Amino acid sequence: MKIDRANLASAIEEGMAQGFDYLVKITAVDNIASLQVLYFVRNIAQNKDELLEVDIPYSDAWVPTVTKYYAAADWYEREMAEMFGVDIRGRHVRRLLLEKWDGVEAPLRKSFGWGSPTYKSEE
Amino acid sequence: MITRINVGPIHPGTHGVLRLLVDVDGDTIKKVEPHIGFLHRGVEKLVENRMYLQNPVYMEKLDYIAPLAFDELYVSAVEAAMGIPVKERAQYIRLIQLELQRIASHLLWLGTLANDVGQLFTIFMWAFSDRDKVLRLLEESAGTRMFYVNQRMGGLIRDQPPDFAEHAAPLLDYLDQRIAQFQEVLEKNPIFTERMKGVGVLNREDAIRFGVTGPTLRGSGVDYDTRSNQPYYVYKKLNFSPQTRGEGDAFARYKVRMLEMKESIKLVRNALKSMPEGDALGMQIRLINPVPKNRVVTVSRETPRGEGMMYMVADPQRPYRLSIRSPSFINLSVLNHIAKGHRFADLFAILASLDPVMADVDR
């Protein structure tokens, strides 16, 4: 399900009301033109999974924190902030998680490193 | 007065390169701050530069206690992207191998757990020698003892040997007895039970809120197992039933793993009985554009440590992006919450009951 960054909090609140109270994973994909942040949520009681996709521009790469709803989001957000250079707004703990490369270009972006294929084949 | 104690990153109780900064007041834990990343290899970046068939070797090193689990998960993600089914006989063989791998992984965990709570070396030696017997059986089936790389798209690189069932049956009987013996030795020992019961309690609501998975989630009374909730292969046909306990403490997590080993033995027995004849070989290696067109796939599997998930944006030639949901990562993140208020010595029992593998946490 594609949603706007501005509607993320309300979409997650709505999901929580419907029983999507388990966060499976937060991750991101670098689509060259923009970044895509993904929230995998689950309704354990009804055994249903849902994927929320939020597109954000490179020049303004931030998402609001969802730690208010999911305690599991804490580490995932820190990992994503470090690996994709996505700023997470509204967090208390801002310490990076894995390499603690502060100020270095985000390593999982396609522009980082040598020989990283920056194309995506056409369908 | 708060004292800060540094544990690790090289410490026998942390089961790998994990550093813990522990704030204690006297002997009571006030806060635990795990510092991870010492084993970060950037696997998710590495695979973007390699063709599909070059990647299973990296996947196996994600969780070096249960390499087959992540190998199979990755190959399944590629199969989903290619849109090819797995041959029926191969599904049975994969299930047998995965369950044997789960037993081997849980046996290693059991030995190290017993060490951590003061049952020095007896259980450790027993569990390790039994694990070795399981690995030998896996070697017969998969070809090697530890790192297998025996999965191919649609099947395996080779079939099981014809006398495999004859060799497996006595070992399964032996393991059945042996697990009962482990339980007898541990659960009748007051030191073990006192160090495990009521320690590191994670209630049902918090287990869901913190997103923990696998035996940690089921130990808190949440009946969620990928093998039954998102069934794959022939788990449904072989009457798989997930094992849960309600207490949420370290002992419940121990119990769930012991019950899971018995369940795995049952599954392997059932699979060997009902395995069809036929072909189990995977397709021939195709290096150039194996995936017909761009696809996005999500595949989940129940690894010994919990639900492993791969989200793959698949390019025809190589994974454009592979995001790995590691069960150890999320289970470790709950450590601060469940260790607070306990004695410092309990920290290691709690950590061992979560069963993290640092290579899997750091990726």
Side-chain angles (χ1 to χ4, degrees), chain A residues 26-70:
Chain A
I26 300 175
T27 189
V29 180
D30 183 350
N31 283 328
I32 314 295
S34 64
L35 287 165
Q36 187 178 42
V37 181
L38 307 165
Y39 297 85
F40 295 85
V41 292
R42 174 173 295 158
N43 182 335
I44 286 196
Q46 293 176 17
N47 197 16
K48 274 197 291 200
D49 282 23
E50 190 66 72
L51 171 59
L52 307 177
E53 302 171 355
V54 184
D55 282 323
I56 54 172
Y58 263 122
S59 54
D60 189 25
W62 66 272
V63 284
T65 179
V66 296
T67 43
K68 199 167 81 178
Y69 311 103
Y70 304 109

Side-chain angles (χ1 to χ4, degrees), chain A residues 22 28 30 42 110 119 121, chain B residues 212 294 307 315 318 320-321:
Chain A
Y22 183 89
D30 183 350
R42 174 173 295 158
K110 292 288 179 184
Y119 60 85
S121 314
Chain B
V212 295
N294 285 343
E307 182 192 352
D315 210 333
R318 48 172 74 91
Y320 176 80
R321 164 92 177 106

Side-chain angles (χ1 to χ4, degrees), chain B residues 162-331:
Chain B
D163 54 357
F164 181 79
E166 285 164 42
H167 292 180
L171 182 72
L172 294 173
D173 294 342
Y174 168 79
L175 283 172
D176 238 352
Q177 286 171 15
R178 202 59 172 162
I179 288 163
Q181 202 176 356
F182 281 128
Q183 283 183 303
E184 183 119 336
V185 171
L186 289 171
E187 289 166 27
K188 283 189 178 167
N189 183 335
I191 298 175
F192 182 79
T193 50
E194 272 175 38
R195 292 210 56 188
M196 299 291 283
K197 280 186 180 168
V199 170
V201 180
L202 180 66
N203 64 34
R204 190 190 149 87
E205 288 70 37
D206 283 347
I208 292 175
R209 205 162 58 83
F210 277 91
V212 295
T213 180
T216 311
L217 183 68
R218 290 190 288 279
S220 296
V222 183
D223 188 11
Y224 193 94
D225 191 313
T226 316
R227 288 172 284 175
S228 60
N229 289 63
Q230 304 179 36
Y232 50 97
Y233 299 151
V234 283
Y235 279 105
K236 229 176 188 173
K237 226 191 251 179
L238 300 179
N239 297 327
F240 167 71
S241 56
Q243 306 298 320
T244 49
R245 297 276 293 192
E247 300 89 342
D249 56 359
F251 192 77
R253 295 190 275 278
Y254 150 83
K255 259 311 215 201
V256 166
R257 291 198 183 88
M258 298 307 271
L259 292 169
E260 272 193 4
M261 279 198 271
K262 287 186 180 168
E263 188 66 25
S264 295
I265 292 171
K266 183 190 98 183
L267 282 170
V268 176
R269 276 197 187 120
N270 288 355
L272 285 170
K273 249 183 252 162
S274 51
M275 190 154 70
E277 291 296 319
D279 180 18
L281 300 186
M283 60 186 277
Q284 294 214 318
I285 292 175
R286 208 174 117 193
L287 289 177
I288 309 298
N289 293 0
V291 175
K293 58 179 187 179
N294 285 343
R295 280 224 176 93
V296 180
V297 291
T298 312
V299 176
S300 288
R301 291 284 187 265
E302 192 70 27
T303 76
R305 270 151 206 87
E307 182 192 352
M309 187 188 83
M310 283 192 188
Y311 171 83
M312 188 198 278
V313 182
D315 210 333
Q317 194 61 23
R318 48 172 74 91
Y320 176 80
R321 164 92 177 106
L322 179 71
S323 171
I324 301 160
R325 195 250 189 172
S326 124
S328 297
F329 178 87
I330 199 64
N331 285 347

Side-chain angles (χ1 to χ4, degrees), chain B residues 120-144:
Chain B
L120 281 176
F121 290 111
T122 309
I123 299 287
F124 183 83
M125 290 300 189
W126 287 5
F128 261 65
S129 71
D130 290 349
R131 172 176 174 264
D132 212 69
K133 292 186 175 85
V134 180
L135 292 186
R136 266 165 209 261
L137 198 64
L138 263 172
E139 184 183 3
E140 272 188 41
S141 173
T144 46

Side-chain angles (χ1 to χ4, degrees), chain B residues 42 61-62 64 72 76 78 124 178 187 205 253 268 272 310 332 355 357:
Chain B
K61 275 82 182 177
L62 280 173
Y64 45 73
E72 190 274 333
S76 302
V78 179
F124 183 83
R178 202 59 172 162
E187 289 166 27
E205 288 70 37
R253 295 190 275 278
V268 176
L272 285 170
M310 283 192 188
L332 184 63
D355 191 20
V357 169

